Amino acid sequence: MKERILVTGGTGYIGSHTVVELQNAGYDVVIVDNLSNSRADVVDNIEKITGIRPAFEKVDCLDFAGMDTVFAKYDDIKAIIHFAASKAVGESVQKPLLYYRNNIGSLINMLELMPKYKVEGIVFSSSCTVYGQPDVLPVTEKAPIKKAESPYGNTKQINEEIIRDTVASGAPVSAILLRYFNPIGAHPSALLGELPNGVPQNLVPYITQTAIGIREKLSVFGDDYNTPDGSCIRDFINVVDLAKAHVVAIRRILEHKQKEKVEVFNIGTGRGLSVLELINAFEKATGVKLNYQIVGRRIGDIEKVWANPELANKELGWKAETSTEDTLLSAWNWQLKLRERGIQ
Ligand code: UD1
């Protein structure tokens, strides 16, 4: 019988790609999402790709009773992948309490309900933001946690601690914390991708919206950083590759292969690319010329960060595979498809 996995935030950007990979790997999926930052038709598109319609429950993870009902209805959930969270760095500075309530409250609900329903494990969406500006690059999981630059980043740090404390207290739960670097791209089918609410804050959606003419010009935030071309450096990871990391993490939990009850893995490519290099790569991959200008630095930006993904390579047997070119092309095809569908 297929093992059932609960995916919170499963209609979101990373969540939806992960549901596809879980189903492709033979898992049964229940999605819980409040649709606050995603569309219900994502479920249709997951079905188009995989031929399987995942169960979907429109519930807010902050609603304890609602979540209790979900666990009671699907009483054989083996593990959770917890994506559901607010994720806009700038908004978190404006509305810190919203971020603390949403991101921390929903995790606490999961951890409280897991023992009651004998759910063994949780995979948590963490971020390289916990490292701040690392002293040593590429950054390993052993690097110190730096003071968070935003309430959003702080919720990732606090949630990691909440999971550690819960497991240390003897709760019958184990966890894998995946620290994502910068997820970009879309599903090769162009049926799933990133759907920003309003003006995109992240680089690639801004690039594709500029390329298609929704935005007039991309602003490159700073060219006076201590990097070869002066722009910031990031580790851009393909979203399908990232999704696959969740499948191996789930398998590791369910097959009791963990070496510790809480494990942490960097999920990145191991390669740093500057903002200007990414823009060039986009133009080369798509043949579309991008209108951009250099402007001042954005407050709170890290100068450079990229992953040492060796632990994930070795322990999870996972590796980023997709080229930057194919990834940027997938983001562009997704943007074209959105236009075709009259969405953006
Ligand atoms: C941020 C968060 C990260 C979070 C991610 C997703 C921090 C330090 N990082 O990543 O934890 O998971 O958002 O929400 O909080 N850029 C431009 N022009 C633009 C947009 C971006 O030049 O219009 C540049 C930025 O200055 C940065 C790079 O592109 O150097 C990447 O920016 P972005 O996509 O927003 O991701 P991060 O800030 O790295």
Side-chain angles (χ1 to χ4, degrees):
M1 218 190 63
K2 287 183 169 184
E3 290 171 304
R4 200 188 294 276
I5 311 297
L6 173 67
V7 180
T8 73
T11 51
Y13 174 42
I14 307 171
S16 59
H17 290 82
T18 300
V19 172
V20 166
E21 296 308 318
L22 284 168
Q23 294 192 155
N24 284 344
Y27 291 101
D28 249 348
V29 176
V30 184
I31 295 175
V32 166
D33 203 301
N34 64 2
L35 299 180
S36 62
N37 196 19
S38 58
R39 295 164 58 102
D41 62 11
V42 167
V43 179
D44 304 329
N45 289 339
I46 291 171
E47 185 179 6
K48 278 185 199 150
I49 294 169
T50 62
I52 303 163
R53 191 169 185 83
F56 173 74
E57 301 289 338
K58 184 173 181 293
V59 175
D60 192 317
C61 293
L62 278 182
D63 172 4
F64 188 86
M67 285 309 303
D68 193 88
T69 308
V70 170
F71 280 103
K73 180 171 170 186
Y74 304 93
D75 64 353
D76 57 350
I77 291 169
K78 290 277 187 292
I80 303 176
I81 306 182
H82 184 52
F83 292 105
S86 305
K87 63 167 185 177
V89 177
E91 185 189 44
S92 80
V93 177
Q94 304 302 322
K95 301 174 183 169
L97 296 180
L98 177 80
Y99 274 66
Y100 287 118
R101 187 191 298 274
N102 266 353
N103 294 5
I104 295 172
S106 60
L107 175 71
I108 292 174
N109 283 350
M110 296 306 130
L111 292 171
E112 282 188 341
L113 285 163
M114 285 172 73
K116 178 173 174 189
Y117 290 97
K118 299 194 167 40
V119 180
E120 293 173 37
I122 183 163
V123 175
F124 175 65
S125 300
S126 191
S127 165
C128 69
T129 192
V130 302
Y131 300 122
Q133 176 59 62
D135 301 321
V136 180
L137 287 167
V139 63
T140 72
E141 292 81 354
K142 292 207 169 72
I145 301 300
K146 298 263 176 82
K147 186 176 166 16
E149 293 269 354
S150 68
Y152 159 80
N154 209 16
T155 66
K156 293 296 174 192
Q157 296 190 5
I158 292 168
N159 277 351
E160 285 198 0
E161 290 303 317
I162 288 174
I163 290 171
R164 286 184 199 283
D165 290 346
T166 305
V167 171
S169 75
V173 169
S174 65
I176 293 183
L177 318 179
L178 297 181
R179 292 181 180 153
Y180 315 150
F181 283 68
N182 285 59
I184 61 166
H187 196 268
S189 64
L191 287 165
L192 298 174
E194 190 168 6
L195 198 56
N197 239 340
V199 182
Q201 305 301 311
N202 296 115
L203 181 60
V204 168
Y206 211 107
I207 288 178
T208 57
Q209 289 199 4
T210 306
I212 208 166
I214 298 172
R215 312 281 156 207
E216 195 205 327
K217 201 181 271 180
L218 168 75
S219 296
V220 172
F221 299 133
D223 69 346
D224 56 351
Y225 285 99
N226 181 24
T227 60
D229 65 21
S231 65
C232 292
I233 296 178
R234 295 289 183 274
D235 183 333
F236 297 98
I237 165 86
N238 176 279
V239 68
V240 175
D241 288 346
L242 171 60
K244 288 176 179 167
H246 295 79
V247 177
V248 287
I250 282 291
R251 199 173 288 137
R252 186 174 173 92
I253 289 175
L254 297 183
E255 291 178 356
H256 304 286
K257 298 259 172 69
Q258 287 181 271
K259 293 195 170 145
E260 288 162 55
K261 293 204 82 180
V262 182
E263 293 180 317
V264 186
F265 297 102
N266 280 345
I267 304 296
T269 67
R271 273 186 320 122
L273 219 58
S274 77
V275 172
L276 290 172
E277 283 173 326
L278 194 81
I279 291 171
N280 285 333
F282 179 83
E283 290 183 332
K284 207 164 148 232
T286 61
V288 182
K289 200 96 195 95
L290 210 60
N291 187 19
Y292 70 89
Q293 63 174 1
I294 312 283
V295 301
R297 293 182 178 195
R298 183 173 73 176
I299 296 167
D301 267 342
I302 300 301
E303 182 169 272
K304 50 191 167 201
V305 62
W306 64 95
N308 178 332
E310 276 168 27
L311 193 66
N313 299 164
K314 186 166 152 269
E315 287 295 324
L316 297 178
W318 171 91
K319 211 171 177 348
E321 286 171 344
T322 316
S323 67
T324 307
E325 192 182 357
D326 284 351
T327 303
L328 290 170
L329 208 50
S330 71
W332 179 230
N333 287 334
W334 163 246
Q335 186 71 63
L336 291 170
K337 186 61 144 267
L338 285 176
R339 166 69 47 91
E340 209 178 288
R341 288 164 64 192
I343 296 172
Q344 265 178 3

